[in-house]
Amino acid sequence: SKVDIYKGSIPAQYGGRLSSVFDITSKKGSHDKLTGEGGIGIVTSNLTVSTPIVKDKSSLLVGIRGTYSEWLLNNVKDESLQNSQASFYDGTVKYNHQINKSNAFETTFYYSHDTFNISSDSTYKYSNRLFTAKWDHLFNEKNKAAIIFTNSQYKFNIEYEPIEPVNS
């Protein structure tokens, strides 16, 4: 729902010694009706669906994105690109619940996977997994608190298959 990008003069809340920050706030699900949006493109597609669980109290949002760019690479006339890979997919599941006027709870799960190989003997694979649980409490109009539990895992892998030399 919102993105703030800092590439200089990083605010103190981010530690002050970073070169840049992408502060991304994801959408919240709809508490009153089933909604959805999506898009189909030449290389990528996406779909997001949101539904209330308890009307005006809680909602579930599910979003997926992916690419099918390999078919494009396989149809290029350049032989070195025909055996290439460039793909990704990711998904998000987000649940939020308004307990009462002063308390709210939210959980988010995110997973992504990328594969990349362009005209080489190495395939690069990346994946990210993230889980958060957050409780917000409003003491009054000027004071609020949040307790956040988070767990994440980043994986990186290179698969190497030597290319046999061509004898002439």
Side-chain angles (χ1 to χ4, degrees):
S1 70
K2 178 182 151 195
V3 175
D4 291 319
I5 301 171
Y6 302 97
K7 59 181 188 168
S9 300
I10 307 299
Q13 70 201 49
Y14 300 107
R17 294 194 177 261
L18 300 171
S19 61
S20 61
V21 172
F22 285 84
D23 184 3
I24 301 170
T25 305
S26 61
K27 294 179 181 182
K28 287 194 176 186
S30 174
H31 284 170
D32 58 346
K33 64 181 179 176
L34 177 68
T35 63
E37 59 185 78
I40 298 174
I42 295 174
V43 180
T44 64
S45 293
N46 64 76
L47 177 66
T48 303
V49 176
S50 173
T51 186
I53 302 298
V54 176
K55 190 168 175 67
D56 297 326
K57 286 247 182 219
S58 64
S59 67
L60 181 68
L61 177 116
V62 177
I64 57 172
R65 298 183 303 168
T67 184
Y68 32 87
S69 57
E70 289 183 16
W71 74 269
L72 187 63
L73 289 169
N74 291 331
N75 288 307
V76 174
K77 292 185 183 188
D78 184 344
E79 283 187 39
S80 65
L81 292 177
Q82 288 181 349
N83 294 322
S84 299
Q85 296 175 316
S87 64
F88 80 89
Y89 62 87
D90 66 6
T92 303
V93 177
K94 186 173 186 176
Y95 172 79
N96 61 53
H97 185 82
Q98 189 69 40
I99 299 166
N100 56 37
K101 187 175 123 181
S102 300
N103 294 285
F105 178 75
E106 178 179 285
T107 61
T108 304
F109 178 77
Y110 172 79
Y111 181 79
S112 71
H113 183 80
D114 298 69
T115 301
F116 180 80
N117 170 332
I118 301 290
S119 305
S120 75
D121 53 5
S122 300
T123 300
Y124 302 90
K125 294 185 177 186
Y126 311 85
S127 67
N128 286 294
R129 178 190 46 78
L130 171 71
F131 172 79
T132 62
K134 178 181 175 187
W135 174 50
D136 288 314
H137 178 73
L138 181 66
F139 293 102
N140 55 46
E141 288 184 23
K142 293 184 180 181
N143 298 300
K144 63 182 180 177
I147 296 174
I148 303 170
F149 168 79
T150 185
N151 182 279
S152 65
Q153 181 180 46
Y154 170 76
K155 289 184 179 179
F156 173 76
N157 185 31
I158 299 175
E159 294 176 0
Y160 175 75
E161 293 183 28
I163 297 173
E164 298 294 324
V166 178
N167 294 329
S168 23

mmCIF file of all heavy atoms in Angstrom, residues 33-59:
data_model
loop_
_atom_site.group_PDB
_atom_site.id
_atom_site.type_symbol
_atom_site.label_atom_id
_atom_site.label_comp_id
_atom_site.label_asym_id
_atom_site.label_seq_id
_atom_site.Cartn_x
_atom_site.Cartn_y
_atom_site.Cartn_z
ATOM 1 N N LYS A 33 -15.872 -7.002 2.437
ATOM 2 C CA LYS A 33 -16.340 -7.754 1.272
ATOM 3 C C LYS A 33 -15.179 -8.453 0.572
ATOM 4 O O LYS A 33 -14.019 -8.090 0.746
ATOM 5 C CB LYS A 33 -17.063 -6.830 0.286
ATOM 6 C CG LYS A 33 -16.180 -5.763 -0.320
ATOM 7 C CD LYS A 33 -16.957 -4.878 -1.270
ATOM 8 C CE LYS A 33 -16.022 -3.811 -1.835
ATOM 9 N NZ LYS A 33 -16.663 -2.986 -2.815
ATOM 10 N N LEU A 34 -15.514 -9.457 -0.215
ATOM 11 C CA LEU A 34 -14.538 -10.173 -1.015
ATOM 12 C C LEU A 34 -14.057 -9.254 -2.134
ATOM 13 O O LEU A 34 -14.861 -8.668 -2.851
ATOM 14 C CB LEU A 34 -15.169 -11.444 -1.598
ATOM 15 C CG LEU A 34 -14.291 -12.276 -2.524
ATOM 16 C CD1 LEU A 34 -13.146 -12.919 -1.746
ATOM 17 C CD2 LEU A 34 -15.122 -13.350 -3.210
ATOM 18 N N THR A 35 -12.736 -9.104 -2.261
ATOM 19 C CA THR A 35 -12.170 -8.284 -3.329
ATOM 20 C C THR A 35 -11.035 -9.047 -3.992
ATOM 21 O O THR A 35 -10.479 -9.978 -3.413
ATOM 22 C CB THR A 35 -11.617 -6.938 -2.804
ATOM 23 O OG1 THR A 35 -10.544 -7.197 -1.893
ATOM 24 C CG2 THR A 35 -12.694 -6.122 -2.118
ATOM 25 N N GLY A 36 -10.692 -8.622 -5.176
ATOM 26 C CA GLY A 36 -9.587 -9.247 -5.882
ATOM 27 C C GLY A 36 -9.079 -8.347 -6.980
ATOM 28 O O GLY A 36 -9.778 -7.450 -7.444
ATOM 29 N N GLU A 37 -7.843 -8.576 -7.348
ATOM 30 C CA GLU A 37 -7.261 -7.857 -8.475
ATOM 31 C C GLU A 37 -6.175 -8.735 -9.058
ATOM 32 O O GLU A 37 -5.623 -9.606 -8.386
ATOM 33 C CB GLU A 37 -6.698 -6.500 -8.045
ATOM 34 C CG GLU A 37 -5.623 -6.565 -6.987
ATOM 35 C CD GLU A 37 -5.190 -5.194 -6.507
ATOM 36 O OE1 GLU A 37 -5.909 -4.599 -5.707
ATOM 37 O OE2 GLU A 37 -4.126 -4.737 -6.962
ATOM 38 N N GLY A 38 -5.866 -8.526 -10.312
ATOM 39 C CA GLY A 38 -4.841 -9.326 -10.953
ATOM 40 C C GLY A 38 -4.414 -8.707 -12.252
ATOM 41 O O GLY A 38 -4.998 -7.725 -12.721
ATOM 42 N N GLY A 39 -3.392 -9.271 -12.821
ATOM 43 C CA GLY A 39 -2.899 -8.790 -14.094
ATOM 44 C C GLY A 39 -2.167 -9.900 -14.824
ATOM 45 O O GLY A 39 -1.519 -10.742 -14.210
ATOM 46 N N ILE A 40 -2.305 -9.909 -16.140
ATOM 47 C CA ILE A 40 -1.615 -10.873 -16.992
ATOM 48 C C ILE A 40 -0.794 -10.074 -17.984
ATOM 49 O O ILE A 40 -1.313 -9.210 -18.685
ATOM 50 C CB ILE A 40 -2.613 -11.788 -17.735
ATOM 51 C CG1 ILE A 40 -3.433 -12.597 -16.739
ATOM 52 C CG2 ILE A 40 -1.872 -12.704 -18.701
ATOM 53 C CD1 ILE A 40 -4.531 -13.427 -17.370
ATOM 54 N N GLY A 41 0.495 -10.358 -18.018
ATOM 55 C CA GLY A 41 1.393 -9.666 -18.936
ATOM 56 C C GLY A 41 2.106 -10.651 -19.839
ATOM 57 O O GLY A 41 1.905 -11.858 -19.755
ATOM 58 N N ILE A 42 2.982 -10.134 -20.684
ATOM 59 C CA ILE A 42 3.734 -10.972 -21.611
ATOM 60 C C ILE A 42 4.700 -11.883 -20.855
ATOM 61 O O ILE A 42 4.920 -13.019 -21.236
ATOM 62 C CB ILE A 42 4.500 -10.091 -22.625
ATOM 63 C CG1 ILE A 42 3.508 -9.344 -23.500
ATOM 64 C CG2 ILE A 42 5.449 -10.917 -23.472
ATOM 65 C CD1 ILE A 42 4.145 -8.341 -24.423
ATOM 66 N N VAL A 43 5.260 -11.386 -19.758
ATOM 67 C CA VAL A 43 6.278 -12.129 -19.029
ATOM 68 C C VAL A 43 5.859 -12.476 -17.603
ATOM 69 O O VAL A 43 6.305 -13.466 -17.051
ATOM 70 C CB VAL A 43 7.601 -11.333 -19.016
ATOM 71 C CG1 VAL A 43 8.685 -12.059 -18.271
ATOM 72 C CG2 VAL A 43 8.062 -11.036 -20.434
ATOM 73 N N THR A 44 4.990 -11.676 -16.968
ATOM 74 C CA THR A 44 4.602 -11.922 -15.578
ATOM 75 C C THR A 44 3.095 -11.802 -15.400
ATOM 76 O O THR A 44 2.414 -11.159 -16.192
ATOM 77 C CB THR A 44 5.262 -10.910 -14.611
ATOM 78 O OG1 THR A 44 4.791 -9.604 -14.914
ATOM 79 C CG2 THR A 44 6.769 -10.962 -14.694
ATOM 80 N N SER A 45 2.617 -12.416 -14.321
ATOM 81 C CA SER A 45 1.206 -12.297 -13.930
ATOM 82 C C SER A 45 1.120 -12.219 -12.414
ATOM 83 O O SER A 45 2.050 -12.627 -11.710
ATOM 84 C CB SER A 45 0.399 -13.504 -14.408
ATOM 85 O OG SER A 45 0.325 -13.520 -15.807
ATOM 86 N N ASN A 46 -0.001 -11.696 -11.924
ATOM 87 C CA ASN A 46 -0.206 -11.605 -10.480
ATOM 88 C C ASN A 46 -1.690 -11.693 -10.171
ATOM 89 O O ASN A 46 -2.532 -11.397 -11.013
ATOM 90 C CB ASN A 46 0.384 -10.306 -9.923
ATOM 91 C CG ASN A 46 -0.311 -9.085 -10.479
ATOM 92 O OD1 ASN A 46 -1.421 -8.760 -10.068
ATOM 93 N ND2 ASN A 46 0.309 -8.406 -11.428
ATOM 94 N N LEU A 47 -1.981 -12.123 -8.931
ATOM 95 C CA LEU A 47 -3.350 -12.237 -8.465
ATOM 96 C C LEU A 47 -3.364 -11.980 -6.964
ATOM 97 O O LEU A 47 -2.534 -12.528 -6.236
ATOM 98 C CB LEU A 47 -3.920 -13.632 -8.756
ATOM 99 C CG LEU A 47 -5.327 -13.919 -8.259
ATOM 100 C CD1 LEU A 47 -6.348 -13.048 -8.988
ATOM 101 C CD2 LEU A 47 -5.655 -15.392 -8.434
ATOM 102 N N THR A 48 -4.290 -11.146 -6.510
ATOM 103 C CA THR A 48 -4.476 -10.875 -5.082
ATOM 104 C C THR A 48 -5.957 -11.008 -4.765
ATOM 105 O O THR A 48 -6.795 -10.462 -5.479
ATOM 106 C CB THR A 48 -4.003 -9.449 -4.716
ATOM 107 O OG1 THR A 48 -2.634 -9.302 -5.093
ATOM 108 C CG2 THR A 48 -4.143 -9.184 -3.237
ATOM 109 N N VAL A 49 -6.249 -11.744 -3.688
ATOM 110 C CA VAL A 49 -7.628 -11.934 -3.236
ATOM 111 C C VAL A 49 -7.683 -11.611 -1.751
ATOM 112 O O VAL A 49 -6.797 -12.003 -0.992
ATOM 113 C CB VAL A 49 -8.116 -13.383 -3.479
ATOM 114 C CG1 VAL A 49 -9.514 -13.587 -2.926
ATOM 115 C CG2 VAL A 49 -8.063 -13.722 -4.956
ATOM 116 N N SER A 50 -8.714 -10.886 -1.345
ATOM 117 C CA SER A 50 -8.905 -10.525 0.059
ATOM 118 C C SER A 50 -10.340 -10.834 0.451
ATOM 119 O O SER A 50 -11.263 -10.595 -0.328
ATOM 120 C CB SER A 50 -8.621 -9.031 0.236
ATOM 121 O OG SER A 50 -8.946 -8.628 1.538
ATOM 122 N N THR A 51 -10.495 -11.359 1.667
ATOM 123 C CA THR A 51 -11.831 -11.691 2.130
ATOM 124 C C THR A 51 -11.952 -11.432 3.627
ATOM 125 O O THR A 51 -10.985 -11.629 4.358
ATOM 126 C CB THR A 51 -12.182 -13.166 1.825
ATOM 127 O OG1 THR A 51 -13.544 -13.404 2.162
ATOM 128 C CG2 THR A 51 -11.286 -14.122 2.566
ATOM 129 N N PRO A 52 -13.124 -10.983 4.063
ATOM 130 C CA PRO A 52 -13.313 -10.872 5.518
ATOM 131 C C PRO A 52 -13.447 -12.269 6.130
ATOM 132 O O PRO A 52 -14.007 -13.173 5.511
ATOM 133 C CB PRO A 52 -14.610 -10.082 5.659
ATOM 134 C CG PRO A 52 -15.301 -10.196 4.351
ATOM 135 C CD PRO A 52 -14.267 -10.506 3.319
ATOM 136 N N ILE A 53 -12.911 -12.442 7.322
ATOM 137 C CA ILE A 53 -13.092 -13.680 8.077
ATOM 138 C C ILE A 53 -14.224 -13.464 9.081
ATOM 139 O O ILE A 53 -15.162 -14.235 9.148
ATOM 140 C CB ILE A 53 -11.795 -14.099 8.794
ATOM 141 C CG1 ILE A 53 -10.661 -14.283 7.778
ATOM 142 C CG2 ILE A 53 -11.996 -15.358 9.629
ATOM 143 C CD1 ILE A 53 -10.872 -15.361 6.753
ATOM 144 N N VAL A 54 -14.133 -12.401 9.870
ATOM 145 C CA VAL A 54 -15.207 -11.939 10.754
ATOM 146 C C VAL A 54 -15.506 -10.516 10.303
ATOM 147 O O VAL A 54 -14.630 -9.648 10.386
ATOM 148 C CB VAL A 54 -14.795 -11.965 12.239
ATOM 149 C CG1 VAL A 54 -15.903 -11.396 13.111
ATOM 150 C CG2 VAL A 54 -14.413 -13.368 12.681
ATOM 151 N N LYS A 55 -16.708 -10.270 9.797
ATOM 152 C CA LYS A 55 -17.051 -8.969 9.218
ATOM 153 C C LYS A 55 -16.692 -7.819 10.160
ATOM 154 O O LYS A 55 -16.994 -7.855 11.346
ATOM 155 C CB LYS A 55 -18.530 -8.919 8.864
ATOM 156 C CG LYS A 55 -18.891 -7.698 8.042
ATOM 157 C CD LYS A 55 -20.284 -7.840 7.462
ATOM 158 C CE LYS A 55 -20.746 -6.631 6.742
ATOM 159 N NZ LYS A 55 -20.055 -6.288 5.541
ATOM 160 N N ASP A 56 -16.004 -6.819 9.610
ATOM 161 C CA ASP A 56 -15.563 -5.610 10.305
ATOM 162 C C ASP A 56 -14.559 -5.891 11.435
ATOM 163 O O ASP A 56 -14.282 -5.015 12.249
ATOM 164 C CB ASP A 56 -16.748 -4.814 10.852
ATOM 165 C CG ASP A 56 -17.668 -4.311 9.744
ATOM 166 O OD1 ASP A 56 -17.145 -3.983 8.652
ATOM 167 O OD2 ASP A 56 -18.883 -4.250 9.962
ATOM 168 N N LYS A 57 -14.008 -7.089 11.494
ATOM 169 C CA LYS A 57 -13.027 -7.435 12.545
ATOM 170 C C LYS A 57 -11.738 -8.014 11.977
ATOM 171 O O LYS A 57 -10.653 -7.631 12.393
ATOM 172 C CB LYS A 57 -13.625 -8.441 13.526
ATOM 173 C CG LYS A 57 -14.630 -7.855 14.456
ATOM 174 C CD LYS A 57 -14.048 -7.894 15.832
ATOM 175 C CE LYS A 57 -15.028 -7.373 16.836
ATOM 176 N NZ LYS A 57 -14.388 -6.576 17.829
ATOM 177 N N SER A 58 -11.849 -8.996 11.069
ATOM 178 C CA SER A 58 -10.644 -9.669 10.584
ATOM 179 C C SER A 58 -10.743 -9.962 9.095
ATOM 180 O O SER A 58 -11.828 -10.052 8.528
ATOM 181 C CB SER A 58 -10.413 -10.961 11.356
ATOM 182 O OG SER A 58 -11.453 -11.867 11.137
ATOM 183 N N SER A 59 -9.556 -10.113 8.494
ATOM 184 C CA SER A 59 -9.517 -10.391 7.063
ATOM 185 C C SER A 59 -8.304 -11.245 6.719
ATOM 186 O O SER A 59 -7.348 -11.337 7.485
ATOM 187 C CB SER A 59 -9.464 -9.083 6.269
ATOM 188 O OG SER A 59 -8.237 -8.427 6.498
#
